Amino acid sequence: MKTPLIAGNWKMNGGVEANDALVRAVLGGLQASGGAEVAVCVPAPYLAQVQTLTAGTPLALGAQDVSAHDKGAYTGEVSAAMLREFGVRYAIVGHSERRQYHGESDALVAEKARAALAAGITPIVCVGETLAEREAGRTEEVVKRQLAAVIHLNGHCISEIVVAYEPVWAIGTGQTATPEQAQAVHAVLRAQLLAATAQAARVKILYGGSMNAANAAELLARPDIDGGLIGGASLKPADFLTIVGAARAD
Ligand code: PEP
């Protein structure tokens, strides 16, 4: 059985004082931890702070993006090697907010996943359909296209990635996919990964999109939902810890 992964995505939130309180509160509740892997993906300027706070603890450190390039004239970008120097274990790639506001294409997301893997960082590859795409019956086509780009470029080490199914209409909206809706898409993604390599049976497929303390257990109970990518609720330690607890209980 796969160890569930609960990853918090702080997005562009935080501050030195607030981060300190949040991480300490999460760590306080994780001491009795066993079962779930837990990570927080923090804004780049806070990597050093959170690395110090989490050193030697069960809380893993993640980034919210990574450059597709190794180094050079790419102002504002942060390379995978740089992230690695701060103990980063996971990097979100292809979050819908990056695709939407920064025009990230499937091909670029695949390059970012490759850069992360080359540095020993696990990319959390986000895929998901918009409301219009769901209503047009295109959910499967869209998520398969997004994942196919990553498989195509990273086929040889695709079993090293984590996938996050994040329906765009559920992110930050309070509108969660039903467990049935989420499981159906996760099963499609699982089949696609398995068609690429039998090793892909061990790939974790997380659900993300308004997962919270109240709905986590039901979602995490589904066979192909191996954890969660948590936005808003990851900023509330009690809620985040409840989600972690729900993953452990699964
Ligand atoms: C996210 O940012 O990846 C996310 C799932 O956000 P939220 O939980 O707030 O919907």
Side-chain angles (χ1 to χ4, degrees), residues 5-181:
L5 169 64
I6 301 296
N9 173 17
W10 289 2
K11 310 196 191 206
M12 198 171 72
N13 293 294
V16 170
E17 215 176 302
N19 302 341
D20 190 81
L22 176 54
V23 171
R24 285 180 198 281
V26 169
L27 285 173
L30 279 185
Q31 290 318 322
S33 157
E37 260 184 79
V38 188
V40 282
C41 300
V42 311
Y46 301 130
L47 287 170
Q49 180 196 12
V50 180
Q51 181 189 27
T52 303
L53 286 166
T54 56
T57 77
L59 188 56
L61 183 58
Q64 297 176 10
D65 187 27
V66 61
S67 177
H69 305 285
D70 289 344
K71 63 176 177 175
Y74 301 102
T75 302
E77 296 209 23
V78 178
S79 75
M82 293 171 186
L83 296 178
R84 197 65 214 151
E85 286 202 297
F86 288 90
V88 166
R89 165 103 179 71
Y90 295 99
I92 297 172
V93 298
H95 192 281
S96 65
E97 289 152 13
R98 302 279 327 162
R99 293 180 191 260
Q100 186 181 349
Y101 304 132
H102 301 270
E104 293 195 4
S105 65
D106 296 340
L108 179 62
V109 172
E111 294 280 1
K112 289 185 171 199
R114 179 162 74 173
L117 287 165
I121 291 172
T122 302
I124 300 178
V125 177
C126 299
V127 299
E129 81 287 3
T130 63
L131 186 58
E133 288 163 341
R134 174 163 282 268
E135 288 176 346
R138 296 182 51 221
T139 298
E140 192 169 320
E141 168 208 327
V142 169
V143 298
K144 284 174 84 170
R145 187 203 71 223
Q146 292 170 332
L147 185 57
V150 178
I151 293 173
H152 178 69
L153 200 68
N154 298 279
H156 54 290
C157 45
I158 204 66
S159 58
E160 305 302 320
I161 71 168
V162 168
V163 176
Y165 168 53
E166 298 210 306
V168 179
W169 49 272
I171 296 178
T173 59
Q175 198 186 340
T176 315
T178 65
E180 293 74 25
Q181 285 173 323

